[in-house]
Amino acid sequence: MICVQQSFSHSSSSILMKKVMGTIYDLLTSPLSALEVTLAITIASAIRGMVLVVFTLIIFSFFSEIRIDNYFYFFLALFLSSTIMGAAGIIAGIVSEKFEHISNITSFIVTPLSFLSCSFYPITKLPETIQSITYHNPFFVMIDFFRFSVLGTQSGSFIYSIVYLSVLAFITWFISFLLYKNGHKLKN
């Protein structure tokens, strides 16, 4: 959870802080294209989230034995999840006008989705209709993929997780790219 939360907060606060301080115009008039700016912020957010997870694992390894079943899938899950939330943070930063708007997005969208992701309870405890909805919750897919990389077991489909997260990462980045390129709430 630290990975996705920090990725989201890094990119959203970066954009919103520039808007509030008036320095967003420096970024808009720089010779960087919208593609370069959105990719740079998204990748920086993803790296921040991944570095925090690695540091957290190093610290916890002094107190407990940490076993990761598959390191490749672990870092793939980290990268895809933090990329999604980094791009979502750009979107939130662009559409928000105040820091209260960011906290509303976090409080009413991000947090409920994360609590409904079956990280604190097994999905089999839910009614079947809710289970089918939960399988499409992005946070459930992220956590389930992490669970697979660490424990080797998964509630959902492995291929579905990779495809779903990859497509969602591209879609969220592409929306952030379009919003930035069009200057939505940036140029006025």
Side-chain angles (χ1 to χ4, degrees), residues 129-178:
T129 54
I130 304 296
Q131 281 183 29
S132 61
I133 294 169
T134 303
Y135 279 120
H136 303 295
N137 176 354
F139 286 89
F140 169 77
V141 178
M142 289 176 200
I143 290 171
D144 200 41
F145 194 29
F146 276 118
R147 193 176 291 133
F148 173 76
S149 68
V150 173
L151 303 175
T153 62
Q154 189 173 20
S155 298
S157 167
F158 171 70
I159 299 297
Y160 177 77
S161 296
I162 292 176
V163 171
Y164 181 83
L165 292 177
S166 299
V167 168
L168 190 60
F170 177 76
I171 289 172
T172 53
W173 169 79
F174 191 69
I175 291 170
S176 70
F177 165 73
L178 289 177

Side-chain angles (χ1 to χ4, degrees), residues 4-139:
V4 294
Q5 290 172 343
Q6 289 301 314
S7 296
F8 180 82
S9 68
H10 173 78
S11 56
S12 62
S13 63
S14 294
I15 294 290
L16 188 59
M17 186 68 76
K18 289 182 185 312
K19 285 173 63 175
V20 168
M21 294 174 55
T23 58
I24 192 72
Y25 301 111
D26 297 336
L27 189 61
L28 290 171
T29 58
S30 69
L32 299 172
S33 69
L35 174 77
E36 294 168 328
V37 170
T38 54
L39 274 178
I41 295 172
T42 302
I43 292 170
S45 299
I47 290 172
R48 177 183 178 171
M50 293 172 68
V51 165
L52 285 171
V53 168
V54 169
F55 281 140
T56 304
L57 286 175
I58 290 170
I59 291 169
F60 281 128
S61 69
F62 292 120
F63 303 105
S64 175
E65 180 185 347
I66 297 177
R67 187 181 81 71
I68 296 175
D69 193 54
N70 190 316
Y71 282 96
F72 174 75
Y73 292 138
F74 178 76
F75 283 106
L76 180 62
L78 273 180
F79 177 73
L80 289 174
S81 300
S82 58
T83 300
I84 290 167
M85 293 308 289
I90 294 174
I91 295 168
I94 289 174
V95 300
S96 298
E97 295 173 7
K98 303 177 197 172
F99 285 101
E100 290 82 18
H101 296 160
I102 295 282
S103 75
N104 287 340
I105 292 170
T106 303
S107 297
F108 297 116
I109 297 173
V110 175
T111 302
L113 283 175
S114 64
F115 281 138
L116 297 172
S117 66
C118 296
S119 46
F120 304 115
Y121 53 87
I123 194 168
T124 55
K125 298 288 182 186
L126 297 173
E128 293 215 13
T129 54
I130 304 296
Q131 281 183 29
S132 61
I133 294 169
T134 303
Y135 279 120
H136 303 295
N137 176 354
F139 286 89

